[in-house]
Amino acid sequence: MAVREELKKLGLHFIIIDLGEVEIMEDLEGEQMEQLKIALLNKGFELINDKRAVLIEKIKNTIIAMVHHSDELVKTNFSDFLSKKLKYDYTYLANLFSEVQGTTIEQFIIHHKIERIKELIIYDELNITGIAWKMNYSSVAHLSNQFKKVTGLSPSHFKKLKKKRRSPIEEIGK
């Protein structure tokens, strides 16, 4: 809504406003682009018009939406899902992501899944078996091994602690 409001103030017309993405009808020139950049910065947003940076943000937003804001993770291969959703070859996406972010897409996904698992453990609505199923792990052992590798704790030990603070979404994978 904030982005929509700023676009209207500047007299710009949009085609799409989506998570992390805006497509506007006008071709912006220097002064208009600078006005939009300043308006968005004042609202806490950043204007990214470098195609590679935009694609990286799309990758991150797709992963975050899938892991944190979806009731169930994709049951298909995530590389296929990402490739189809973003309309790029997965190898290209993976190489670009690694080059720019300094980590792999797989590690980024794992870290987000672990943060989501922490959240599910803290909310105490599902047992570890239910969490493993919901998060699309092949077994509780697989979830537990990955959880321990990332956090240093077993899920059951983490559950006992519950005070361990979760990481903000935007800080994961940096």
Side-chain angles (χ1 to χ4, degrees):
M1 289 187 338
V3 173
R4 182 174 298 169
E5 186 180 302
E6 291 304 320
L7 291 173
K8 284 182 183 178
K9 283 182 190 175
L10 294 170
L12 299 173
H13 304 92
F14 57 88
I15 299 167
I16 298 171
I17 295 183
D18 202 3
L19 179 63
E21 182 178 6
V22 175
E23 187 176 337
I24 57 175
M25 292 180 190
E26 295 85 3
D27 287 328
L28 297 183
E29 297 299 322
E31 180 64 30
Q32 272 188 311
M33 183 68 85
E34 196 57 35
Q35 286 177 337
L36 180 58
K37 187 175 185 177
I38 291 166
L40 291 176
L41 278 173
N42 287 336
K43 293 286 184 178
F45 297 106
E46 182 181 3
L47 179 64
I48 303 172
N49 53 1
D50 168 33
K51 288 189 184 291
R52 289 167 36 115
V54 168
L55 188 52
I56 294 294
E57 285 305 307
K58 284 181 179 181
I59 293 168
K60 288 178 176 182
N61 289 336
T62 301
I63 292 168
I64 289 167
M66 195 65 224
V67 174
H68 294 279
H69 305 294
S70 177
D71 284 338
E72 280 189 42
L73 284 179
V74 174
K75 299 296 183 196
T76 62
N77 187 319
F78 200 81
S79 58
D80 292 339
F81 172 78
L82 205 54
S83 185
K84 285 178 188 167
K85 176 119 173 117
L86 300 178
K87 296 175 179 65
Y88 282 92
D89 178 67
Y90 182 76
T91 304
Y92 172 74
L93 295 174
N95 289 338
L96 175 65
F97 192 88
S98 295
E99 178 186 326
V100 174
Q101 293 298 121
T103 187
T104 65
I105 289 176
E106 181 182 10
Q107 283 302 310
F108 189 81
I109 292 168
I110 288 168
H111 282 91
H112 277 276
K113 285 176 77 172
I114 296 304
E115 285 305 310
R116 180 72 172 123
I117 291 165
K118 285 180 186 179
E119 182 180 289
L120 293 169
I121 290 170
I122 289 168
Y123 290 156
D124 208 19
E125 293 174 8
L126 298 169
N127 61 24
I128 299 299
T129 304
I131 293 171
W133 182 84
K134 179 179 181 75
M135 297 303 294
N136 201 24
Y137 280 87
S138 57
S139 67
V140 171
H142 183 217
L143 179 150
S144 296
N145 288 337
Q146 204 168 68
F147 191 91
K148 187 163 188 161
K149 194 179 286 184
V150 172
T151 66
L153 304 168
S154 68
S156 56
H157 189 226
F158 178 83
K159 188 172 186 167
K160 288 176 189 168
L161 294 178
K162 275 194 184 177
K163 292 178 185 171
K164 181 152 175 77
R165 293 177 45 205
R166 295 180 53 245
S167 302
I169 289 174
E170 58 277 356
E171 297 297 321
I172 301 169
K174 285 191 174 181

